[in-house]
Amino acid sequence: MGRLFGTDGVRGRANVDLTPELALGVAVAAAHTLAESDRSHPPLAVVGRDPRASGEMLEAAVVAGLTSAGANVVRVGVLPTPAVAYLTAEAKADLGVMLSASHNPMPDNGIKLFAAGGHKLPDDIEIQIEGAVEANATTAWDRPTGAGIGRVHDLLDGADHYVQHLIGTVPHRLDGIKVVVDCANGAASEVAPVAYREAGAEVIAINAEPDGLNINDDCGSNHIDALCAAVVEHGAHLGIAHDGDADRCVAVSADGDEVDGDQIMAILALAMRDAGTLTEDTLVATVMSNLGLRLAMSAEGIRLIETKVGDRYVLEELRASGLALGGEQSGHIVMPAFATTGDGVLTGLHLMSRMAATGRSLAELAAVLTRLPQVLINVPVGDRTVGAGAPGVLAEVARAEAELGETGRVLLRPSGTEPLVRVMVEAATQQVAQEVAERIAAEVRAASPAS
């Protein structure tokens, strides 16, 4: 069996790659792996989902798998991923399950797992679960019967608990701020507008009518054109876009210009530094963050630690080092004092709180960071290792790095799931970045031609 888990759970085309049978098997394996074996009472699992139509089917399979393994289940319904993580911690549950494919289109779905406390799983636990899925598929496991079978309960006010938690974290009310929020027809379609209004903002919600089929459909954090237009049309101070499960937040200034995750991290880092809450004056980001973020933070006396791509690696570094802020360019922002995972609504609240506290526009705050032009080329290859490590490729990368010096950088990264090598170049101008990226991409193609 190949690896089930990608960078953010198990994901695939619903009912083709991610079948009810697989969902049931993963749920059983997760219950066996994550539940404490010496407990005097049955393990407890919290299960939530985004509004994809396939989520209803997969939720039924996951609940069946958990209860068949003896776990009691609390269903929380359609809620953002970070809400499920929060409720997992609040309920002192052994594990949490979120059914979502995040920003992916509707035909896809996924299974995200949380351990006790609402924390994402490290690689070694995912490998254990994969092994248990395979073992359970070939060998009979002891099934509880009678009173040993798990029971199912519905939590009807989970959204209220989550929203009140979010409101309690806001350092400055949002009165006087007008915001357009694009809910991606996803899991935050109800809670995001409510949270922003209760914090004091005037809210105009768009793409907040999920029907099970329209999630992320030309809307949300990956498609912000409609949001940009709506912000200008309504004369709003800003726009905020979430993805399908609302663990992301990207923003739009009053002029309709995008403010990405790097810029949001810079704004929040300065706010937290000024408040004395930015531990060790350190920010955590991935290697995909723009070089402009490092330069901006250095100018402000803030240290930047880089991790591998994926918010899980940001989370691991934050937890290991006891740090207070991290995230990704894509808009996954993590504030461990308030959340165990990236939380788009939490991020939106704190971004607007900084605007309200300073009286400055989003564009003014975002100007702390000057983004360097960035070019990303995904090169199809026959062998990812050869394509990324051939002598000719490495020589071209070294040449490019010498040319760019401190005014740019090169990142060469084999894809973890596809026969691709990703070539990313940042430079002082778009033309230089494009030329350098194309040179390196040509060497990668020559080293390992796609079959």
Side-chain angles (χ1 to χ4, degrees):
M1 183 180 70
R3 281 222 66 179
L4 290 175
F5 288 88
T7 56
D8 196 14
V10 180
R11 193 173 295 185
R13 193 171 180 86
N15 219 25
V16 177
D17 308 306
L18 180 53
T19 62
E21 294 87 350
L22 177 57
L24 189 148
V26 170
V28 171
H32 289 165
T33 304
L34 297 173
E36 297 178 18
S37 59
D38 59 348
R39 294 182 62 146
S40 58
H41 55 82
L44 178 64
V46 172
V47 178
R49 62 182 179 88
D50 72 22
R52 294 166 206 264
S54 60
E56 300 163 0
M57 169 187 75
L58 295 173
E59 179 189 59
V62 165
V63 170
L66 292 168
T67 53
S68 75
N72 290 333
V73 174
V74 174
R75 287 188 304 207
V76 298
V78 175
L79 281 178
T81 290
V84 174
Y86 169 73
L87 293 170
T88 298
E90 282 296 290
K92 296 181 171 55
D94 296 88
L95 69 153
V97 184
M98 176 67 184
L99 296 161
S100 175
S102 191
H103 59 282
N104 283 28
M106 184 280 297
D108 292 351
N109 214 323
I111 303 173
K112 299 184 180 186
L113 296 175
F114 296 99
H119 297 288
K120 288 194 174 184
L121 308 184
D123 288 341
D124 61 327
I125 298 299
E126 288 185 346
I127 291 170
Q128 287 184 44
I129 292 173
E130 288 175 348
V133 171
E134 186 170 21
N136 291 343
T138 57
T139 305
W141 49 277
D142 291 334
R143 296 171 179 266
T145 59
I149 295 173
R151 305 298 298 275
V152 183
H153 305 276
D154 291 317
L155 181 66
L156 302 179
D157 59 354
D160 294 335
H161 284 287
Y162 173 60
V163 168
Q164 291 311 307
H165 160 68
L166 293 177
I167 299 302
T169 74
V170 181
H172 195 287
R173 281 189 57 82
L174 314 182
D175 301 277
I177 290 182
K178 184 177 183 179
V179 59
V180 180
V181 55
D182 184 339
C183 299
N185 292 314
S189 293
E190 291 189 16
V191 299
V194 169
Y196 296 149
R197 287 191 183 106
E198 290 197 13
E202 178 185 351
V203 179
I204 298 163
I206 64 173
N207 299 311
E209 298 180 354
D211 62 10
L213 307 177
N214 60 2
I215 187 170
N216 298 319
D217 187 8
D218 201 25
C219 59
S221 58
N222 278 24
H223 307 278
I224 64 168
D225 288 349
L227 177 62
C228 294
V231 168
V232 175
E233 176 188 349
H234 291 283
H237 294 97
L238 78 159
I240 286 176
H242 300 302
D243 60 336
D245 70 337
D247 61 358
R248 293 188 185 193
C249 171
V250 298
V252 172
S253 71
D255 295 327
D257 296 324
E258 181 181 3
V259 176
D260 68 9
D262 285 343
Q263 291 167 296
I264 293 172
M265 280 191 284
I267 293 168
L268 296 183
L270 295 183
M272 293 174 67
R273 182 201 61 187
D274 293 349
T277 58
L278 186 66
T279 309
E280 298 180 13
D281 285 347
T282 299
L283 172 66
V284 180
T286 77
V287 293
M288 290 301 290
S289 277
N290 194 280
L291 178 59
L293 178 62
R294 176 176 288 278
L295 297 176
M297 293 298 91
S298 177
E300 293 288 343
I302 294 174
R303 182 170 65 120
L304 182 68
I305 295 176
E306 292 183 343
T307 73
K308 293 189 292 185
V309 175
D311 68 321
R312 58 184 298 184
Y313 300 111
V314 173
L315 280 159
E316 288 176 5
E317 179 62 35
L318 289 169
R319 292 184 67 190
S321 301
L323 299 174
L325 180 66
E328 295 186 286
Q329 187 182 68
S330 61
H332 283 118
I333 312 296
V334 187
M335 306 174 73
F338 310 121
T340 58
T341 186
D343 190 325
V345 182
L346 177 73
T347 300
L349 286 167
H350 282 254
L351 180 63
M352 287 188 282
S353 179
R354 179 62 166 175
M355 292 172 62
T358 61
R360 300 172 68 189
S361 71
L362 181 58
E364 289 176 300
L365 293 172
V368 66
L369 187 157
T370 301
R371 287 181 290 189
L372 272 67
Q374 186 181 85
V375 172
L376 175 65
I377 300 177
N378 292 319
V379 185
V381 293
D383 186 305
R384 287 171 291 183
T385 302
V386 173
V393 173
L394 298 179
E396 188 59 51
V397 169
R399 175 188 165 198
E401 290 175 335
E403 288 178 7
L404 296 172
E406 295 184 358
T407 66
R409 68 179 180 129
V410 176
L411 180 64
L412 195 69
R413 187 170 67 91
S415 168
T417 58
E418 301 174 90
L420 299 172
V421 172
R422 308 190 194 280
V423 178
M424 192 271 284
V425 176
E426 292 170 341
T429 69
Q430 187 73 26
Q431 181 178 349
V432 171
Q434 189 71 43
E435 290 175 353
V436 172
E438 288 177 355
R439 273 184 6 221
I440 297 172
E443 287 292 338
V444 172
R445 291 188 193 95
S448 181
S451 55

